[in-house]
Amino acid sequence: MKKNIDGSQSKVMKATAQAPANIAFVKYWGKADDALTLPRNSSISMNLDSLHTTTTVEFDAALTEDEITLGFFGEPDTVVSGSKRDRVSKVLDQVRARAKSSLRARVLSRNNFPAEAGIASSASAFAALTTAAISAFGLQLSETELSIQTRLAGSGSAARSIPDGFVVWEKGHDSASSFAHSIAGHTHWALYDIVLVVATGSKAVSSLEGHHLAATSPFYEARLRELPDRLHKIETAIRNHDLQSLGEESEKDMISFHTTAMTSQPPIFYWNGASVDVMAEIRALRGQGIPAYYTLDAGPNVHVLCEGENVAKVQTYFEKHPLVKHVFVAKAGPGVRLISEHLF
Ligand code: PMV
Protein backbone atom coordinates (compact mmCIF):
# COMPACT_ATOMS: atom_id res chain seq x y z
CA MET A 1 0.00 0.00 0.00
CA LYS A 2 1.12 3.53 -0.74
CA LYS A 3 0.78 6.24 1.92
CA ASN A 4 -0.89 9.45 0.67
CA ILE A 5 -0.08 12.95 1.89
CA ASP A 6 -3.30 13.04 3.95
CA GLY A 7 -2.37 9.83 5.74
CA SER A 8 -4.83 7.63 3.80
CA GLN A 9 -3.56 4.61 1.95
CA SER A 10 -3.81 3.78 -1.77
CA LYS A 11 -3.62 0.44 -3.47
CA VAL A 12 -0.85 0.60 -6.09
CA MET A 13 -0.25 -2.14 -8.61
CA LYS A 14 2.64 -1.84 -11.00
CA ALA A 15 4.44 -3.83 -13.70
CA THR A 16 6.98 -3.21 -16.47
CA ALA A 17 7.08 -5.04 -19.82
CA GLN A 18 9.40 -4.84 -22.82
CA ALA A 19 8.12 -5.74 -26.31
CA PRO A 20 9.90 -5.87 -29.69
CA ALA A 21 8.96 -4.25 -32.99
CA ASN A 22 8.32 -6.84 -35.72
CA ILE A 23 8.66 -7.00 -39.51
CA ALA A 24 5.99 -8.82 -41.53
CA PHE A 25 6.92 -11.14 -44.43
CA VAL A 26 3.21 -11.51 -45.26
CA LYS A 27 1.51 -8.25 -44.38
CA TYR A 28 -1.76 -7.86 -42.51
CA TRP A 29 -3.88 -5.52 -44.65
CA GLY A 30 -7.64 -5.02 -44.25
CA LYS A 31 -10.02 -5.96 -41.49
CA ALA A 32 -12.95 -8.36 -41.35
CA ASP A 33 -14.20 -6.78 -38.12
CA ASP A 34 -13.16 -3.31 -37.05
CA ALA A 35 -14.26 -3.39 -33.42
CA LEU A 36 -12.59 -6.75 -32.77
CA THR A 37 -9.55 -6.11 -35.03
CA LEU A 38 -10.14 -9.34 -36.94
CA PRO A 39 -7.97 -9.36 -40.11
CA ARG A 40 -9.03 -10.49 -43.59
CA ASN A 41 -5.77 -12.50 -43.87
CA SER A 42 -3.31 -14.37 -41.68
CA SER A 43 0.14 -12.77 -41.49
CA ILE A 44 3.65 -13.83 -40.57
CA SER A 45 6.53 -11.86 -39.04
CA MET A 46 9.78 -11.87 -37.13
CA ASN A 47 10.42 -9.99 -33.89
CA LEU A 48 13.33 -7.52 -34.00
CA ASP A 49 15.70 -7.95 -31.07
CA SER A 50 17.24 -4.48 -30.91
CA LEU A 51 14.15 -2.29 -31.44
CA HIS A 52 11.76 -2.28 -28.51
CA THR A 53 9.40 -0.38 -26.23
CA THR A 54 9.57 -0.60 -22.44
CA THR A 55 6.39 0.32 -20.59
CA THR A 56 5.53 0.65 -16.90
CA VAL A 57 1.88 0.73 -15.86
CA GLU A 58 0.97 1.66 -12.32
CA PHE A 59 -2.68 1.56 -11.24
CA ASP A 60 -3.17 3.94 -8.34
CA ALA A 61 -6.38 4.65 -6.40
CA ALA A 62 -5.12 8.19 -5.77
CA LEU A 63 -5.38 9.06 -9.49
CA THR A 64 -8.55 10.58 -10.93
CA GLU A 65 -7.48 10.17 -14.55
CA ASP A 66 -4.84 8.28 -16.55
CA GLU A 67 -1.43 9.99 -16.78
CA ILE A 68 0.45 8.98 -19.92
CA THR A 69 4.11 9.83 -20.55
CA LEU A 70 5.89 8.83 -23.78
CA GLY A 71 9.62 8.97 -24.43
CA PHE A 72 11.50 8.35 -27.64
CA PHE A 73 15.25 7.72 -27.65
CA GLY A 74 17.21 10.95 -27.38
CA GLU A 75 14.11 13.02 -26.60
CA PRO A 76 12.69 14.16 -23.26
CA ASP A 77 9.74 12.25 -21.78
CA THR A 78 6.50 14.03 -22.70
CA VAL A 79 3.10 13.88 -20.99
CA VAL A 80 0.56 13.37 -23.78
CA SER A 81 -3.06 14.52 -24.07
CA GLY A 82 -5.86 14.40 -26.65
CA SER A 83 -6.08 11.51 -29.10
CA LYS A 84 -2.73 9.99 -28.05
CA ARG A 85 -3.86 9.76 -24.43
CA ASP A 86 -7.32 8.51 -25.45
CA ARG A 87 -5.83 5.64 -27.48
CA VAL A 88 -3.81 4.46 -24.45
CA SER A 89 -6.76 4.95 -22.08
CA LYS A 90 -8.93 2.82 -24.38
CA VAL A 91 -6.46 -0.07 -24.00
CA LEU A 92 -6.39 0.45 -20.23
CA ASP A 93 -10.23 0.45 -20.22
CA GLN A 94 -10.24 -2.96 -21.91
CA VAL A 95 -7.85 -4.32 -19.27
CA ARG A 96 -9.80 -2.63 -16.45
CA ALA A 97 -12.97 -4.30 -17.74
CA ARG A 98 -11.22 -7.67 -17.61
CA ALA A 99 -9.90 -6.97 -14.09
CA LYS A 100 -13.29 -5.52 -12.98
CA SER A 101 -11.50 -2.40 -11.73
CA SER A 102 -11.92 1.32 -12.26
CA LEU A 103 -8.44 2.31 -11.03
CA ARG A 104 -6.69 4.95 -13.15
CA ALA A 105 -3.08 4.43 -14.21
CA ARG A 106 0.23 6.18 -14.53
CA VAL A 107 1.97 4.99 -17.72
CA LEU A 108 5.56 5.58 -18.77
CA SER A 109 6.46 4.19 -22.20
CA ARG A 110 9.89 4.53 -23.80
CA ASN A 111 11.15 3.43 -27.21
CA ASN A 112 14.83 2.68 -27.71
CA PHE A 113 14.61 3.94 -31.30
CA PRO A 114 14.16 7.56 -32.39
CA ALA A 115 10.64 8.81 -33.13
CA GLU A 116 11.73 10.40 -36.37
CA ALA A 117 13.31 7.16 -37.60
CA GLY A 118 10.09 6.17 -39.28
CA ILE A 119 10.02 2.66 -37.79
CA ALA A 120 6.49 1.60 -36.90
CA SER A 121 6.29 1.70 -33.13
CA SER A 122 2.65 0.73 -32.64
CA ALA A 123 3.33 -3.04 -32.47
CA SER A 124 5.96 -2.80 -29.73
CA ALA A 125 4.06 -0.04 -27.92
CA PHE A 126 0.69 -1.81 -27.71
CA ALA A 127 2.23 -5.20 -26.87
CA ALA A 128 4.24 -3.68 -24.00
CA LEU A 129 1.29 -1.61 -22.75
CA THR A 130 -1.18 -4.49 -22.73
CA THR A 131 1.27 -6.89 -21.07
CA ALA A 132 2.26 -4.40 -18.37
CA ALA A 133 -1.38 -3.50 -17.63
CA ILE A 134 -2.47 -7.15 -17.43
CA SER A 135 0.48 -7.98 -15.17
CA ALA A 136 -0.02 -4.93 -12.94
CA PHE A 137 -3.47 -6.30 -12.07
CA GLY A 138 -1.88 -9.69 -11.40
CA LEU A 139 -4.05 -11.35 -14.07
CA GLN A 140 -2.69 -14.70 -15.24
CA LEU A 141 -3.15 -15.07 -19.02
CA SER A 142 -1.84 -17.74 -21.36
CA GLU A 143 0.25 -16.51 -24.31
CA THR A 144 -2.77 -17.05 -26.58
CA GLU A 145 -5.04 -15.01 -24.31
CA LEU A 146 -2.43 -12.24 -24.07
CA SER A 147 -2.08 -12.07 -27.84
CA ILE A 148 -5.90 -11.82 -28.18
CA GLN A 149 -6.04 -9.07 -25.54
CA THR A 150 -3.23 -7.22 -27.39
CA ARG A 151 -5.02 -7.60 -30.75
CA LEU A 152 -8.07 -5.92 -29.20
CA ALA A 153 -5.90 -2.84 -28.50
CA GLY A 154 -6.45 -1.99 -32.18
CA SER A 155 -2.96 -2.39 -33.65
CA GLY A 156 -3.34 -5.96 -34.83
CA SER A 157 0.34 -6.39 -35.65
CA ALA A 158 1.05 -5.89 -31.91
CA ALA A 159 -0.44 -9.35 -31.29
CA ARG A 160 2.58 -10.76 -33.20
CA SER A 161 5.03 -9.09 -30.78
CA ILE A 162 3.84 -11.35 -27.93
CA PRO A 163 5.21 -14.83 -28.92
CA ASP A 164 8.89 -15.65 -29.46
CA GLY A 165 10.84 -15.32 -32.73
CA PHE A 166 9.00 -16.16 -35.96
CA VAL A 167 5.27 -15.68 -35.53
CA VAL A 168 2.04 -16.41 -37.42
CA TRP A 169 -1.12 -14.49 -36.61
CA GLU A 170 -4.01 -16.75 -37.61
CA LYS A 171 -6.86 -14.69 -38.97
CA GLY A 172 -9.39 -16.98 -37.28
CA HIS A 173 -13.15 -16.60 -37.61
CA ASP A 174 -13.97 -14.97 -34.28
CA SER A 175 -12.17 -13.29 -31.41
CA ALA A 176 -11.14 -16.54 -29.69
CA SER A 177 -9.60 -18.05 -32.84
CA SER A 178 -7.66 -14.96 -34.04
CA PHE A 179 -4.34 -15.05 -32.19
CA ALA A 180 -0.59 -15.15 -32.79
CA HIS A 181 1.71 -18.10 -32.11
CA SER A 182 5.37 -18.89 -32.62
CA ILE A 183 6.33 -21.25 -35.45
CA ALA A 184 10.05 -21.11 -34.52
CA GLY A 185 11.87 -19.49 -31.61
CA HIS A 186 14.32 -16.64 -32.17
CA THR A 187 17.36 -18.91 -31.76
CA HIS A 188 16.13 -21.07 -34.67
CA TRP A 189 17.66 -18.77 -37.30
CA ALA A 190 20.00 -15.75 -37.08
CA LEU A 191 18.07 -13.90 -39.77
CA TYR A 192 18.75 -10.15 -39.90
CA ASP A 193 16.64 -7.14 -40.80
CA ILE A 194 18.78 -4.14 -41.72
CA VAL A 195 16.47 -1.14 -41.58
CA LEU A 196 17.39 1.59 -44.07
CA VAL A 197 15.71 4.84 -43.09
CA VAL A 198 15.22 6.95 -46.22
CA ALA A 199 12.58 9.31 -44.83
CA THR A 200 11.73 10.44 -41.35
CA GLY A 201 8.50 11.86 -39.98
CA SER A 202 5.07 10.28 -39.66
CA LYS A 203 3.25 8.82 -42.66
CA ALA A 204 0.50 10.75 -44.41
CA VAL A 205 -2.06 7.93 -44.14
CA SER A 206 -2.11 5.81 -40.98
CA SER A 207 -2.36 2.03 -41.26
CA LEU A 208 -5.62 2.39 -39.30
CA GLU A 209 -7.06 4.28 -42.30
CA GLY A 210 -5.27 2.06 -44.82
CA HIS A 211 -7.01 -1.06 -43.48
CA HIS A 212 -10.37 0.63 -44.15
CA LEU A 213 -9.43 1.50 -47.74
CA ALA A 214 -7.93 -1.88 -48.68
CA ALA A 215 -11.15 -3.38 -50.06
CA THR A 216 -11.61 -0.43 -52.47
CA SER A 217 -8.66 -1.71 -54.55
CA PRO A 218 -9.65 -3.90 -57.54
CA PHE A 219 -6.57 -6.02 -56.73
CA TYR A 220 -7.42 -6.68 -53.09
CA GLU A 221 -9.42 -9.90 -53.59
CA ALA A 222 -6.68 -11.20 -55.92
CA ARG A 223 -4.12 -10.50 -53.18
CA LEU A 224 -6.21 -12.41 -50.63
CA ARG A 225 -6.45 -15.40 -52.99
CA GLU A 226 -2.64 -15.59 -53.26
CA LEU A 227 -1.99 -15.57 -49.54
CA PRO A 228 -2.67 -19.14 -48.33
CA ASP A 229 -0.01 -20.46 -50.74
CA ARG A 230 2.45 -17.68 -49.81
CA LEU A 231 1.96 -18.22 -46.07
CA HIS A 232 2.70 -21.89 -46.54
CA LYS A 233 5.84 -21.18 -48.59
CA ILE A 234 7.17 -18.65 -46.09
CA GLU A 235 6.50 -20.88 -43.12
CA THR A 236 8.36 -23.71 -44.89
CA ALA A 237 11.24 -21.35 -45.77
CA ILE A 238 11.57 -20.33 -42.13
CA ARG A 239 11.60 -23.93 -40.95
CA ASN A 240 14.31 -24.75 -43.56
CA HIS A 241 16.42 -21.56 -43.09
CA ASP A 242 15.79 -20.97 -46.79
CA LEU A 243 16.63 -17.27 -47.33
CA GLN A 244 16.08 -17.33 -51.09
CA SER A 245 12.53 -18.63 -50.85
CA LEU A 246 11.70 -16.40 -47.85
CA GLY A 247 13.14 -13.37 -49.63
CA GLU A 248 11.43 -14.00 -52.98
CA GLU A 249 8.03 -14.58 -51.37
CA SER A 250 8.43 -11.57 -49.02
CA GLU A 251 9.23 -9.32 -52.00
CA LYS A 252 6.15 -10.60 -53.86
CA ASP A 253 3.99 -9.94 -50.83
CA MET A 254 5.35 -6.44 -50.34
CA ILE A 255 4.67 -5.56 -54.00
CA SER A 256 1.15 -6.98 -53.78
CA PHE A 257 0.49 -5.02 -50.55
CA HIS A 258 1.79 -1.72 -52.00
CA THR A 259 -0.11 -2.31 -55.26
CA THR A 260 -3.29 -2.70 -53.22
CA ALA A 261 -2.52 0.52 -51.32
CA MET A 262 -1.65 2.48 -54.50
CA THR A 263 -4.86 1.35 -56.25
CA SER A 264 -7.28 1.93 -53.38
CA GLN A 265 -9.67 4.91 -53.48
CA PRO A 266 -8.14 7.32 -52.62
CA PRO A 267 -4.71 5.83 -53.42
CA ILE A 268 -2.00 5.60 -50.75
CA PHE A 269 1.67 5.95 -51.73
CA TYR A 270 3.81 4.67 -48.89
CA TRP A 271 7.06 4.35 -50.80
CA ASN A 272 9.00 7.22 -52.36
CA GLY A 273 11.74 7.72 -54.99
CA ALA A 274 14.52 6.87 -52.54
CA SER A 275 12.77 3.59 -51.63
CA VAL A 276 12.62 2.62 -55.33
CA ASP A 277 16.30 3.53 -55.89
CA VAL A 278 17.42 1.59 -52.81
CA MET A 279 15.42 -1.47 -53.91
CA ALA A 280 17.16 -1.33 -57.31
CA GLU A 281 20.53 -1.28 -55.57
CA ILE A 282 19.62 -4.30 -53.47
CA ARG A 283 18.71 -6.17 -56.66
CA ALA A 284 22.11 -5.09 -58.06
CA LEU A 285 23.85 -6.39 -54.92
CA ARG A 286 22.02 -9.68 -55.44
CA GLY A 287 23.35 -9.72 -59.01
CA GLN A 288 26.85 -9.47 -57.51
CA GLY A 289 26.22 -12.59 -55.42
CA ILE A 290 25.01 -11.05 -52.12
CA PRO A 291 21.73 -12.74 -51.15
CA ALA A 292 19.75 -9.80 -49.75
CA TYR A 293 16.00 -9.19 -50.13
CA TYR A 294 13.74 -6.28 -49.24
CA THR A 295 10.37 -5.55 -47.77
CA LEU A 296 8.60 -2.28 -46.94
CA ASP A 297 5.85 -1.73 -44.37
CA ALA A 298 3.31 1.08 -44.53
CA GLY A 299 6.11 3.60 -45.03
CA PRO A 300 9.08 4.37 -47.31
CA ASN A 301 11.87 2.75 -45.28
CA VAL A 302 13.46 -0.38 -46.68
CA HIS A 303 13.99 -3.51 -44.58
CA VAL A 304 16.78 -5.72 -45.94
CA LEU A 305 16.66 -9.41 -45.07
CA CYS A 306 20.03 -11.15 -45.05
CA GLU A 307 22.27 -13.39 -42.96
CA GLY A 308 25.85 -14.29 -42.03
CA GLU A 309 28.79 -12.34 -43.45
CA ASN A 310 26.47 -10.38 -45.74
CA VAL A 311 25.00 -8.46 -42.79
CA ALA A 312 28.17 -6.39 -42.34
CA LYS A 313 28.54 -5.98 -46.12
CA VAL A 314 25.01 -4.59 -46.55
CA GLN A 315 25.33 -2.42 -43.44
CA THR A 316 28.63 -0.88 -44.58
CA TYR A 317 27.34 -0.33 -48.10
CA PHE A 318 24.26 1.60 -46.99
CA GLU A 319 25.87 3.49 -44.11
CA LYS A 320 27.76 5.46 -46.74
CA HIS A 321 24.76 5.85 -49.03
CA PRO A 322 23.54 9.41 -49.74
CA LEU A 323 19.83 8.40 -49.74
CA VAL A 324 20.01 6.60 -46.38
CA LYS A 325 19.66 8.69 -43.20
CA HIS A 326 20.03 5.95 -40.54
CA VAL A 327 20.79 2.24 -40.54
CA PHE A 328 19.46 -0.01 -37.75
CA VAL A 329 20.56 -3.61 -37.51
CA ALA A 330 18.21 -6.11 -35.87
CA LYS A 331 17.97 -9.88 -35.85
CA ALA A 332 15.30 -12.39 -34.89
CA GLY A 333 14.42 -11.75 -31.27
CA PRO A 334 12.22 -12.93 -28.41
CA GLY A 335 8.66 -11.79 -27.81
CA VAL A 336 7.37 -9.64 -24.99
CA ARG A 337 8.90 -10.11 -21.55
CA LEU A 338 8.00 -8.95 -18.11
CA ILE A 339 10.84 -7.01 -16.57
CA SER A 340 9.33 -6.51 -13.14
CA GLU A 341 6.07 -7.00 -11.36
CA HIS A 342 5.31 -5.20 -8.14
CA LEU A 343 2.11 -5.74 -6.21
CA PHE A 344 1.92 -3.57 -3.10
O1 PMV B 1 -1.12 -3.31 -36.80
P1 PMV B 1 -1.42 -2.13 -37.66
O2 PMV B 1 -2.88 -1.75 -37.58
O3 PMV B 1 -0.53 -0.97 -37.36
O4 PMV B 1 -1.18 -2.54 -39.17
C1 PMV B 1 0.06 -3.00 -39.63
C2 PMV B 1 0.08 -3.08 -41.11
C3 PMV B 1 1.44 -3.35 -41.74
O5 PMV B 1 2.47 -2.83 -40.95
C4 PMV B 1 1.46 -2.63 -43.09
C5 PMV B 1 1.67 -4.81 -42.04
C6 PMV B 1 1.97 -5.74 -40.88
O6 PMV B 1 1.45 -6.85 -40.92
O7 PMV B 1 2.76 -5.40 -39.98
Side-chain angles (χ1 to χ4, degrees), residues 116 196-200 301 318-319 321-327:
E116 80 280 11
L196 308 178
V197 178
V198 297
T200 55
N301 299 322
F318 284 108
E319 270 170 353
H321 199 286
L323 293 174
V324 176
K325 296 175 199 289
H326 310 278
V327 176

Side-chain angles (χ1 to χ4, degrees), residues 74-246:
E75 289 182 22
D77 291 342
T78 309
V79 178
V80 296
S81 55
S83 61
K84 277 190 180 160
R85 191 184 67 181
D86 294 348
R87 190 143 185 223
V88 174
S89 283
K90 192 180 147 215
V91 176
L92 295 172
D93 285 343
Q94 290 165 337
V95 178
R96 281 189 276 256
R98 188 162 195 148
K100 298 185 176 52
S101 168
S102 59
L103 289 178
R104 302 290 111 183
R106 195 173 293 111
V107 174
L108 172 61
S109 185
R110 289 194 179 122
N111 280 8
N112 77 336
F113 47 96
E116 80 280 11
I119 297 167
S121 54
S122 61
S124 55
F126 286 101
L129 173 66
T130 306
T131 305
I134 287 285
S135 308
F137 275 128
L139 299 171
Q140 303 291 327
L141 265 59
S142 67
E143 184 182 273
T144 300
E145 288 166 332
L146 184 58
S147 105
I148 291 171
Q149 185 72 40
T150 303
R151 192 200 80 229
L152 291 169
S155 167
S157 59
R160 297 193 310 247
S161 287
I162 300 295
D164 182 24
F166 298 84
V167 176
V168 170
W169 171 19
E170 307 285 356
K171 68 182 167 117
H173 51 84
D174 58 10
S175 193
S177 57
S178 184
F179 59 87
H181 62 93
S182 178
I183 53 159
H186 69 282
T187 55
H188 166 73
W189 188 8
L191 180 64
Y192 279 75
D193 174 9
I194 303 178
V195 188
L196 308 178
V197 178
V198 297
T200 55
S202 53
K203 49 194 172 225
V205 183
S206 68
S207 43
L208 207 63
E209 213 176 320
H211 289 299
H212 291 144
L213 296 177
T216 64
S217 163
F219 300 107
Y220 185 55
E221 295 300 325
R223 163 172 171 73
L224 292 177
R225 279 194 297 275
E226 289 177 349
L227 293 187
D229 179 55
R230 180 167 303 138
L231 283 155
H232 175 71
K233 283 184 177 144
I234 290 193
E235 194 170 328
T236 306
I238 290 169
R239 290 192 200 287
N240 297 336
H241 308 96
D242 180 351
L243 178 61
Q244 183 177 346
S245 175
L246 175 91

Side-chain angles (χ1 to χ4, degrees), residues 22 24 26-29 43 122 154-158 160 207 211 257 297-298:
N22 68 67
V26 172
K27 315 288 184 190
Y28 146 51
W29 202 237
S43 53
S122 61
S155 167
S157 59
R160 297 193 310 247
S207 43
H211 289 299
F257 153 59
D297 252 339

